Every structure is written in C-alpha cells, then in structure tokens.
Amino acid sequence: MPLPRVVADTPLNPVIEALLAGKVEILPWSVALEGTSEPVAGLYTYGHLLVDGPMLDRLPGLKVVSNYGVGVDHIRLVDAAARNIPVGNTPGILNGATADMGFTLLLAAARRLIEGDRYARCADFTRYDPGYMLGQEVHGRTLGIVGMGRIGQQVARRARAFDMPVLYYNRRQNAAVEQELQARYVGFDELLRTSDYVMLCCPLSDETRGLIDAAALAKMKPTAILVNIARGPVVDTQALTVALQTNQIYAAGLDVTDPEPLSRDHPLLKLDNVTIAPHLGSATEQTRRRMAEISVENLLRGIAGEPLLHQVYASP
Ligand code: 8YV
C-alpha cells in the first residue's frame, strides 16, 4: 500500500526524518506552493512559512497540519478550521529552554558578554584593565514580563532566584500566578516605565504586533534592557534600531527579529549594545527531540483521523 503523502518544510532534520521513515512519503514545500492533483494527507511545518486557505485548497484530501513548535502565528487557524483541518503544535515542553534563553540574553546584554568575548580573542587584549566593559548587575533589579503564559511563568521563576521583583502585563490578570510567583500585575505603561528589564514572552497576534514601537521605547528607562524571546514583529525593528543607536535604552537581547534573518548590512548588526541569537529559544538536544516526537505524533494521529496530542484552535 502506498504511504500517505506529507508536504514538509524540507530539508527535515535527521531526528524528524528518522521518526517519519517508513510511515509517510515526504514531498517538498514547493508542492504546497504549486499545488497538486494527487492526495496529500499532511502538512508539516517548522514555523515561519505562511500556511493559509489558498494553500490548504491546493492540497486535496489534507487531514492535518502539524507544526514543530508552539507558535502558530504563521498558520491561518481560521482558514484551517473552516476546512475542518486540525492544527497541531508542541506546547508545554519548550518553556524551560526558552526561558533559559531569555535569561541567557539578559545576562549577556547586561554583562556585555559578546563584546567581551570578541575583545578576549583579539590582538588588542594585552592586559586586564579594571575599568573596561563595566556592565549592569541583574540581581535585585525589576523585571517586567510581557505575556505571563507558560514561558513567561518560567521566566518569573528564574527571576525569583535572582532576587528580582517581577511585574507583568498580560491580556488577563492571573491571581494564581501572582500568588505562586509573587509577580505584580501592572498596566503596560507602568511596566515600561518602572522595569529595569523588559522581557517579551507573548505570542504574536493582532494585539501584540508592533507593541514595542517608538512610543513604548521612549517610556523605558535609559538603563533598560529589552529582551525578545517572543516573535520579531512584536518589536518595531526600525524604532528599536534608533533607540539603541541613540542610547535611548541601554541594550537589547534578541532571539527573534523582524525580518528574520535581518539583511546582512542591517544597522542593528553593527551595534555593540545588541546581542542577537538566530532563534535558539528551544534549541537544546532534549527539547528539540521532544518537539520532534510530539509534532510527528500529531501528524500521524491526524492522518489516521485520531485526536491530536495537542490541537490548537482559532481564538473566538
Ligand atoms: C522553534 C518557536 O524553534 O516553538 C516555537 O514557537 O519559536 C521555537 O521553539 C521554532 O518554531 C522551530 O522551527
């Protein structure tokens, strides 16, 4: 019997390929762009590439869209729901790794780690100087978390170990979280004005796109650090570039950018006060393996017409 056909964001990483071997036939993403008359049972995405109604209509017999990752802002959920195609994702298992990355970026930016690493390797470094590269102490300073979901809560836990008072801004106030994590709910403006560090942990949505614009950056302290472990478009890249160039804020730590990647000659890449990672939030051996297992399980269940391990629904 022929294997079910799956269009995937190829090339797939070897872990995913091994999990799918002998179970499905993999077709390249170009099939989703160009369309086909042959049935396609599944669509497997890594994130970032748009999945919309016209694409779903180009894949006859599609039974499931499975995303390797939790963020599904690139998938038009309403379009999938209108066609009764379930969408699966991988929540829950990447919170710790992503929160670790938030703190990695915060500490690296505050302690000027990347700048220091460059200096330690270059010929100019001939002797220790007690006055060079003084950074900021993170412990004891106030952290403002935007988006107190699963990842935001893990960030708040880490902040407690650094003796940091935690403020948060969220769509809804969460009394249970406040009690457990001793985080204080504040309005967005208050969070910007009073936080020493602002960490973005929210999903990308119509409400959060461009949330950190020039006006928001102007409200932040000149000593503030902005960390983005959410999605690039939550921040207005042009406004952030100007704020960093003019030292309107102290620094930024970015796991995500808009666009991603930035053009190689983008002015942000020339600044010492920005630390950038190439979207590494969940990039640990352990977490990426779990993401592969769950996303493959979602795919195979969807193809078999069974309930997914994790199905994501369009917001009402
Ligand atoms: C993934 C992510 O690295 O889960 C998400 O939403 O952004 C990351 O964990 C990415 O989706 C992998 O392609």
Side-chain angles (χ1 to χ4, degrees):
M1 205 163 100
L3 296 175
R5 290 163 23 110
V6 169
V7 170
D9 189 352
T10 45
L12 289 173
N13 82 39
V15 175
I16 301 168
E17 233 167 37
L19 289 168
L20 289 174
K23 296 182 180 136
V24 299
E25 179 193 348
I26 300 291
L27 307 175
W29 194 254
S30 55
V31 173
L33 299 174
E34 287 154 19
T36 171
S37 54
E38 302 286 314
V40 169
L43 188 60
Y44 187 85
T45 67
Y46 271 163
H48 321 298
L49 298 173
L50 176 71
V51 175
D52 59 5
M55 176 177 283
L56 300 174
D57 292 339
R58 287 195 290 268
L59 302 172
L62 190 65
K63 292 181 173 159
V64 61
V65 177
S66 176
N67 186 56
Y68 173 88
V70 67
V72 287
D73 46 275
H74 58 295
I75 301 173
R76 299 281 170 267
L77 295 176
V78 176
D79 292 358
R83 291 159 180 78
N84 282 321
I85 298 170
V87 175
N89 70 343
T90 67
I93 42 134
L94 46 73
N95 309 331
T98 308
D100 286 352
M101 178 52 72
F103 260 82
T104 303
L105 287 167
L106 176 60
L107 290 166
R111 300 303 298 271
R112 304 172 65 174
L113 183 66
I114 305 301
E115 225 184 312
D117 177 272
R118 272 197 296 269
Y119 187 59
R121 292 166 194 264
C122 84
D124 295 349
F125 179 44
T126 51
R127 67 187 291 268
Y128 166 79
D129 175 344
Y132 61 38
M133 278 186 217
L134 305 184
Q136 292 192 14
E137 284 182 8
V138 165
H139 65 265
R141 309 197 65 202
T142 299
L143 178 68
I145 299 175
V146 177
M148 193 52 112
R150 288 174 285 229
I151 294 171
Q153 290 173 34
Q154 286 295 324
V155 168
R157 277 179 205 286
R158 283 152 182 72
R160 288 194 57 192
F162 278 80
D163 296 325
M164 302 173 87
V166 175
L167 308 176
Y168 78 101
Y169 171 71
N170 200 43
R171 280 171 76 183
R172 279 176 232 95
Q173 194 167 352
N174 184 333
V177 160
E178 283 176 29
Q179 173 128 30
E180 195 193 332
L181 301 174
Q182 289 163 26
R184 189 161 69 83
Y185 182 78
V186 291
F188 185 51
D189 278 12
E190 187 179 343
L191 181 136
L192 295 173
R193 287 186 207 285
T194 55
S195 298
D196 294 306
Y197 307 122
V198 174
M199 199 172 298
L200 306 175
C201 305
C202 53
L204 176 63
S205 66
D206 290 345
E207 285 162 77
T208 62
R209 187 177 294 275
L211 189 67
I212 303 294
D213 56 8
L217 288 159
K219 288 174 189 150
M220 289 172 65
K221 296 182 181 184
T223 48
I225 296 175
L226 176 73
V227 176
N228 190 0
I229 52 170
R231 281 288 183 267
V234 176
V235 177
D236 176 336
T237 304
Q238 169 63 17
L240 177 65
T241 306
V242 172
L244 290 167
Q245 281 170 332
T246 57
N247 297 314
Q248 193 183 343
I249 64 169
Y250 181 78
L254 308 175
D255 188 40
V256 287
T257 57
D258 178 32
E260 197 172 291
L262 294 167
S263 64
R264 297 301 81 193
D265 60 351
H266 195 284
L268 258 188
L269 301 181
K270 298 188 172 54
L271 299 176
D272 275 337
N273 57 352
V274 59
T275 301
I276 309 192
H279 203 138
L280 294 180
S282 61
T284 64
E285 294 282 351
Q286 301 91 324
T287 294
R288 286 284 167 86
R289 169 158 282 281
R290 287 296 293 137
M291 287 165 67
E293 287 165 353
I294 293 172
S295 56
V296 165
E297 180 72 19
N298 278 338
L299 179 76
L300 297 177
R301 286 187 182 208
I303 290 173
E306 294 165 5
L308 310 190
L309 272 184
H310 295 285
Q311 184 170 343
V312 49
Y313 298 92
S315 337

